[in-house]
Amino acid sequence: MIVKYKKALFLLLFIYSSVFASPLDIEKQICKRIVHGAFQEKTSIKVWSDVKKCHNILTDSSIIFVKTPQEADILVVSHEENILADKPIFVRKYYLLKKYKERAIGGFYWQKGRPNIIFIKKNLKKFSISIPDEFRKYIEDSYEY
Amino acid sequence: MSINKAAKRYTAILTALMAVTAYMYFLVNDIKSELVKNMDSLYIHTLSDFIVNIDNNIKVQLKDEPFVQTLHNDEKLRAHFEHTLSVLSTKSFKYVYILYRDKKGIYRYIVDGSKKDRGELDQPLDVNMKEWNKVYKTEKPNIIRQYKLDELWTTYLYPIVRNGKVEAVIAVDFSFELPHRIREIVKPLNRSFIFIFIAIFILIILVILEFYNNNKIKRQSYTDALTQIYNRHYLREFLKNIDLDKYQIMLFDIDFFKKVNDTYGHKAGDIILQGVVGSVQKTIRDGDMFFRYGGEEFLLFVKVENDPDIGLKIAQRVKDEIEVSEFIYEQNHIKVTVSIGVNEHPSRCKTIDQAIKYTDEMLYIAKKDGRNCIRSQDSVQEKSNAPKKMSIDEIKEAFEQKRVICHYQPIYNAKDLTIDKYEALVRIVSNEGKIIGPFFFLEEIFSTTLYTELTATVIDIVFKQISLQEKNISLNLNFSDLIDTKTYDIVIGAIQRHKDVARFLTIELLEYEKLEDFERLKERIVEIKSYGCKIAVDDFGSGYANYEIFKRLPIDIMKIDGTLIKDITESDMSFKIVKSIIFFAKELNIPVIAEFIHSKEVMESLQGLGAEYLQGFHLCEPKEGLHHCH
């Protein structure tokens, strides 16, 4: 489990580092890579997302979009504020980190035209996820200041 | 103008147009860059004044209290500064905010006056660390150009310095409003550039089209429609700049072509002509120049590289190729042969016209020798066992030993075929008793005193003959001989000495160079004529013998060029030219002599056209003495 989350996040950061791509492209790639990287060993990956365009992008045969968060291996959340499933959540808006403060392992979002990434130390630990050293500078002890 | 010259002219025009386009393109881009630079500076300058005011305001509000810590603890003060900053937030200045650097070096919000996408207190913002850290280090403003970000143009950073230490940085992100405005400003420039570009592009297309059309028309005018090889029109262009040292000349004629036309029809004739051209093209090389010279007569300039016998070799190849070819017309398998004349040393001739004329003579000999053969100077000499070109010493010796003689060819009255006069043709008798024609010695002595001596000798021989038999005799001189005072004195002297029989003498004048001193020439001709001599123009219809001569000189007789006569029965064009020349002569009341009568058909044709006098091998060959043939 730890390995698969680590892979997913690594791929996520790899994509983020590619600032040459357009914001929309980066978002699309992140959605795709999280799922593919995180569940390499699985023949089928269950993803739940509240972003419809993610459905259009993740067209790989190994990816199955599930209808409810409970069925999913990972949740990619952009807007939805009332998810109850105890699954790792990767948010795409800063305010969602607060909303899912117990389950959000991190997020990728745009602020003032700049791509931003953040990891929440407490939740990474909770889901036993470690990230590569070069991305440790993005780890926040808490999102509540 | 030649195709090459036109191509150069069009290339120059196109290059100039392209250079202008490229220059304008770079000019517009330069203008754009300058505008962007200047407007950017203007914006930053204005903004920096605002920021300084804000910083002063902060100083007034906080006095010596630490900026970040105070604002952390005072929500009202934060709200006040957010409001202050928000005044600056416009379409152009998209985000206005203040970040501080925490102990880990991460930049976080302390105040955000942006109208949209506002950050929360202490929320981290991923910024260009290197540039932001510069502000902390230098304590001076910094400008970041963010070409990699889609939404932002420039970020202006201003340090809030307290007690010699940077506490936070005021940041203003410029939106793309500025470059958009600049784009709007230069739009008319860009638009006009596009119009100019389109205009230049259309111009280029027109220039290319014009060049293409000109080329096409020129190619068409230079190409024979039936055979698709060069025609006489292009031959004239080609001969203007020809270097005779680089070519050997070959002239060939399809044997009995008239018979093919008569037997199978003109369509078959056309197929034969096309087929022969195809066969020849197989045998010639890239540098060789191939022309349709007349009806079934073709002229080939064979490029000489290293092989001095290349002309004969190509001629043999052409002859063999045509001989084995079979031309099919309506299930008839037609075979033809060709007679070929080769001039291996055209540079020995004084002019290109002379060189072609000599080649034509070789072709004439080939035809006379039974057709389907090749004749060149060497082969003719070999065949007749005549000497090769004589050296000056040999010619001198012949003069001293009085071996210079004249042969006479009768000129017949076309109506009753009675002999009207004779043409004297100079010959040298070799040591072995062989008769040598002027080709083998005249050119060698042309610019020497021997030439004058020869003129004197020939005129004496002719007058001796006239005095003896009182028959009309004509002799050949060049126009330039009469202009040359020394030669003229010899001529007029001889006439004066024989003034009682001078009326029997006709001087046939021919010229290879353009005549210029008409006045002197006219004066001298008038003097010659005053003794009863007649003046004829030789080889009319070729070279420089043109209509102007009749306008400016008192000419009595016109002799039509043999090359026009010889194919008069086969070439419609030659027929028409000869017909019009005879018509012209009749209008002037000048009798016409047609030489080169080599067949009964040609003779009858000329009689039909109304030529007054006839001369040629068909009637009688030149021989010693005033003879006549049966």
Side-chain angles (χ1 to χ4, degrees):
Chain A
M1 187 70 177
I2 294 168
V3 175
K4 68 187 180 188
Y5 282 128
K6 190 176 174 179
K7 278 181 182 172
L9 288 167
F10 178 80
L11 285 164
L12 179 73
L13 294 169
F14 172 76
I15 296 304
Y16 159 62
S17 64
S18 172
V19 290
F20 294 102
S22 74
L24 187 63
D25 284 342
I26 290 171
E27 279 183 34
K28 284 177 179 177
Q29 286 178 46
I30 283 167
C31 290
K32 203 174 174 181
R33 294 286 184 137
I34 285 170
V35 179
H36 275 274
F39 304 99
Q40 277 183 4
E41 288 159 17
K42 277 196 161 190
T43 49
S44 62
I45 307 153
K46 292 171 183 169
V47 177
W48 182 88
S49 173
D50 63 341
V51 182
K52 284 214 169 174
K53 61 186 172 189
C54 256
H55 292 240
N56 298 329
I57 294 157
L58 298 172
T59 52
D60 196 281
S61 58
S62 63
I63 291 166
I64 301 165
F65 279 97
V66 292
K67 287 182 178 171
T68 62
Q70 284 77 11
E71 298 170 69
D73 295 314
I74 189 165
L75 315 176
V76 179
V77 182
S78 295
H79 309 292
E80 185 57 55
E81 295 180 22
N82 300 311
I83 300 164
L84 299 173
D86 189 21
K87 304 279 180 176
I89 297 174
F90 195 81
V91 301
R92 293 178 60 251
K93 289 284 186 292
Y94 180 75
Y95 73 89
L96 289 171
L97 285 173
K98 279 185 182 176
K99 189 72 197 168
Y100 298 111
K101 60 186 176 185
E102 301 304 329
R103 285 168 288 163
I105 54 163
F108 171 82
Y109 56 91
W110 291 87
Q111 173 98 69
K112 292 192 168 52
R114 297 167 175 87
N116 276 254
I117 190 139
I118 191 167
F119 294 107
I120 306 302
K121 190 176 180 180
K122 188 182 80 175
N123 293 336
L124 284 171
K125 202 172 174 183
K126 178 184 169 185
F127 288 102
S128 305
I129 296 167
S130 63
I131 59 168
D133 289 344
E134 60 264 40
F135 297 113
R136 286 196 177 278
K137 62 183 176 184
Y138 298 110
I139 296 176
E140 292 282 308
D141 291 333
S142 165
Y143 47 80
E144 291 172 303
Y145 296 96
Chain B
M1 185 186 289
S2 72
I3 290 173
N4 276 347
K5 270 186 190 169
K8 275 180 193 167
R9 196 184 68 178
Y10 286 116
T11 308
I13 293 170
L14 287 179
T15 311
L17 286 174
M18 281 187 225
V20 168
T21 314
Y23 174 72
M24 290 187 68
Y25 176 77
F26 287 116
L27 190 71
V28 169
N29 272 340
D30 272 356
I31 292 168
K32 255 161 107 178
S33 306
E34 277 301 306
L35 269 172
V36 170
K37 214 167 121 186
N38 289 335
M39 287 188 71
D40 201 25
S41 302
L42 187 70
Y43 268 62
I44 287 167
H45 184 75
T46 313
L47 179 68
S48 66
D49 288 344
F50 282 127
I51 300 291
V52 169
N53 287 343
I54 289 169
D55 189 29
N56 288 336
N57 183 260
I58 292 168
K59 270 181 196 161
V60 171
Q61 297 271 335
L62 296 184
K63 297 196 172 89
D64 290 333
E65 287 178 53
F67 178 76
V68 176
Q69 201 183 336
T70 309
L71 259 70
H72 245 133
N73 301 329
D74 192 337
E75 199 181 337
K76 275 189 181 173
L77 196 58
R78 281 205 313 272
H80 168 71
F81 283 130
E82 276 182 356
H83 178 71
T84 308
L85 292 182
S86 71
V87 175
L88 269 185
S89 182
T90 58
K91 266 189 182 175
S92 301
F93 307 136
K94 195 169 184 184
Y95 304 119
V96 188
Y97 50 98
I98 304 174
L99 300 186
Y100 71 95
R101 191 169 71 177
D102 72 4
K103 285 174 188 171
K104 284 167 75 181
I106 294 168
Y107 285 87
R108 296 178 187 280
Y109 287 99
I110 185 74
V111 175
D112 191 351
S114 309
K115 291 202 170 91
K116 284 194 288 187
D117 207 7
R118 194 174 270 199
E120 294 177 13
L121 177 67
D122 291 325
Q123 182 185 329
L125 181 69
D126 288 342
V127 293
N128 183 336
M129 294 276 198
K130 198 179 153 193
E131 296 297 326
W132 281 67
N133 287 344
K134 255 189 211 170
V135 181
Y136 266 83
K137 198 177 170 187
T138 61
E139 297 177 10
K140 283 180 182 167
N142 190 14
I143 297 160
I144 309 170
R145 316 274 179 203
Q146 286 153 141
Y147 301 116
K148 288 179 182 175
L149 294 178
D150 279 0
E151 208 180 310
L152 300 179
W153 170 248
T154 299
T155 297
Y156 178 74
L157 304 177
Y158 182 88
I160 297 172
V161 184
R162 296 292 177 268
N163 303 318
K165 191 181 150 197
V166 177
E167 283 211 34
V169 175
I170 302 173
V172 180
D173 289 331
F174 288 36
S175 70
F176 269 89
E177 173 74 6
L178 174 63
H180 285 158
R181 274 191 194 180
I182 293 166
R183 211 172 294 157
E184 284 302 311
I185 292 166
V186 295
K187 221 178 214 172
L189 255 179
N190 276 342
R191 206 175 294 142
S192 56
F193 175 74
I194 288 167
F195 285 130
I196 291 167
F197 182 78
I198 291 169
I200 288 172
F201 180 73
I202 291 168
L203 208 60
I204 288 171
I205 297 287
L206 288 175
V207 168
I208 291 170
L209 275 177
E210 198 201 328
F211 175 65
Y212 174 78
N213 284 335
N214 275 354
N215 254 358
K216 201 175 159 189
I217 291 164
K218 236 171 200 173
R219 259 202 309 274
Q220 280 170 351
S221 72
Y222 285 153
T223 310
D224 175 61
L226 178 68
T227 57
Q228 295 301 308
I229 59 171
Y230 293 125
N231 56 18
R232 281 185 91 131
H233 184 194
Y234 186 65
L235 177 65
R236 274 198 293 277
E237 287 287 319
F238 173 70
L239 296 181
K240 277 181 190 168
N241 301 311
I242 192 170
D243 179 355
L244 284 177
D245 286 325
K246 289 185 179 166
Y247 292 96
Q248 292 184 356
I249 307 174
M250 182 180 134
L251 187 65
F252 70 91
D253 197 308
I254 302 171
D255 297 330
F256 304 110
F257 184 71
K258 193 173 176 289
K259 230 179 234 176
V260 174
N261 266 342
D262 292 346
T263 313
Y264 301 103
H266 285 282
K267 206 170 172 190
D270 289 348
I271 287 168
I272 301 283
L273 288 170
Q274 286 168 332
V276 165
V277 166
S279 300
V280 175
Q281 278 171 330
K282 277 187 217 164
T283 64
I284 60 176
R285 303 148 315 151
D286 279 351
D288 300 337
M289 298 296 289
F290 188 26
F291 299 87
R292 188 171 177 196
Y293 193 57
E296 75 278 18
E297 207 167 60
F298 297 89
L299 188 62
L300 182 67
F301 285 82
V302 181
K303 190 97 186 252
V304 180
E305 276 150 6
N306 301 313
D307 186 358
D309 297 327
I310 189 68
L312 279 175
K313 283 178 184 169
I314 298 267
Q316 192 61 50
R317 280 194 339 228
V318 167
K319 182 179 163 291
D320 294 345
E321 181 65 34
I322 292 170
E323 212 167 354
V324 297
S325 300
E326 233 178 27
F327 307 104
I328 301 165
Y329 174 69
E330 289 182 348
Q331 294 168 345
N332 295 304
H333 291 244
I334 307 164
K335 290 190 80 129
V336 292
T337 57
V338 287
S339 303
I340 304 176
V342 178
N343 182 347
E344 294 159 289
H345 313 288
S347 57
R348 287 183 188 170
C349 298
K350 204 171 171 186
T351 63
I352 180 63
D353 286 335
Q354 240 183 321
I356 294 173
K357 197 172 176 184
Y358 175 71
T359 318
D360 200 15
E361 280 167 21
M362 294 298 115
L363 171 60
Y364 183 68
I365 293 168
K367 284 172 141 183
K368 223 173 75 159
D369 286 351
R371 295 185 167 90
N372 191 22
C373 61
I374 300 163
R375 290 293 174 263
S376 66
Q377 178 191 328
D378 294 344
S379 67
V380 169
Q381 280 177 347
E382 214 170 274
K383 191 168 175 281
S384 64
N385 203 19
K388 293 195 175 179
K389 284 221 168 183
M390 294 176 77
S391 68
I392 296 277
D393 289 340
E394 286 172 328
I395 299 166
K396 261 187 191 171
E397 193 188 295
F399 274 46
E400 284 159 12
Q401 295 175 1
K402 302 202 182 302
R403 283 190 276 112
V404 176
I405 61 162
C406 278
H407 274 191
Y408 299 91
Q409 187 173 29
I411 297 171
Y412 291 85
N413 187 310
K415 280 181 187 162
D416 53 13
L417 294 182
T418 54
I419 294 171
D420 183 76
K421 66 178 101 175
Y422 292 85
E423 183 180 3
L425 301 158
V426 67
R427 303 284 188 264
I428 284 179
V429 183
S430 74
N431 282 325
E432 296 81 26
K434 302 279 177 197
I435 302 298
I436 302 168
F439 175 79
F440 301 100
F441 57 85
L442 204 56
E443 194 189 318
E444 299 298 310
I445 60 166
F446 193 70
S447 305
T448 68
T449 50
L450 280 177
Y451 180 77
T452 322
E453 204 178 317
L454 177 74
T455 308
T457 307
V458 170
I459 203 162
D460 278 349
I461 293 171
V462 167
F463 268 123
K464 209 174 273 176
Q465 196 68 49
I466 288 173
S467 304
L468 206 66
Q469 294 188 268
E470 292 202 341
K471 296 269 187 193
N472 293 321
I473 298 178
S474 63
L475 65 86
N476 293 295
L477 286 177
N478 289 332
F479 278 103
S480 54
D481 292 335
L482 296 190
I483 291 171
D484 178 63
T485 304
K486 201 173 171 188
T487 313
Y488 175 70
D489 288 345
I490 289 168
V491 174
I492 199 72
I495 292 170
Q496 283 164 350
R497 282 197 305 279
H498 301 90
K499 58 184 175 190
D500 51 329
V501 288
R503 65 182 185 283
F504 293 105
L505 180 71
T506 301
I507 296 175
E508 290 184 15
L509 292 171
L510 55 92
E511 189 52 83
Y512 298 116
E513 287 167 4
K514 198 176 176 187
L515 295 176
E516 277 166 4
D517 199 353
F518 272 103
E519 284 311 307
R520 184 190 289 191
L521 201 52
K522 188 179 175 184
E523 204 177 280
R524 291 180 174 181
I525 286 175
V526 168
E527 192 181 1
I528 289 171
K529 285 182 71 170
S530 68
Y531 293 95
C533 300
K534 291 184 184 68
I535 299 293
V537 170
D538 201 2
D539 287 351
F540 185 78
S542 73
Y544 289 91
N546 56 41
Y547 292 95
E548 198 184 8
I549 287 172
F550 294 95
K551 192 177 154 196
R552 303 182 70 167
L553 301 173
I555 304 296
D556 303 304
I557 302 161
M558 177 201 284
K559 196 168 195 178
I560 302 175
D561 185 53
T563 54
L564 291 171
I565 303 289
K566 75 180 173 61
D567 61 354
I568 194 170
T569 53
E570 289 154 6
S571 163
D572 195 36
M573 185 53 75
S574 295
F575 181 84
K576 284 175 180 165
I577 292 170
V578 171
K579 190 179 171 186
S580 62
I581 291 173
I582 292 173
F583 176 78
F584 166 74
K586 283 193 186 303
E587 287 294 302
L588 299 182
N589 279 327
I590 293 174
V592 167
I593 301 174
E595 61 180 351
F596 252 73
I597 306 292
H598 58 88
S599 67
K600 193 181 170 202
E601 290 81 15
V602 172
M603 182 183 78
E604 285 170 355
S605 185
L606 265 304
Q607 282 172 322
L609 286 173
E612 280 82 0
Y613 302 104
L614 305 173
Q615 177 185 359
F617 275 64
H618 173 70
L619 293 161
C620 201
E621 289 184 24
K623 281 181 191 164
E624 214 171 342
L626 301 184
H627 64 290
H628 59 88
C629 300
H630 297 289

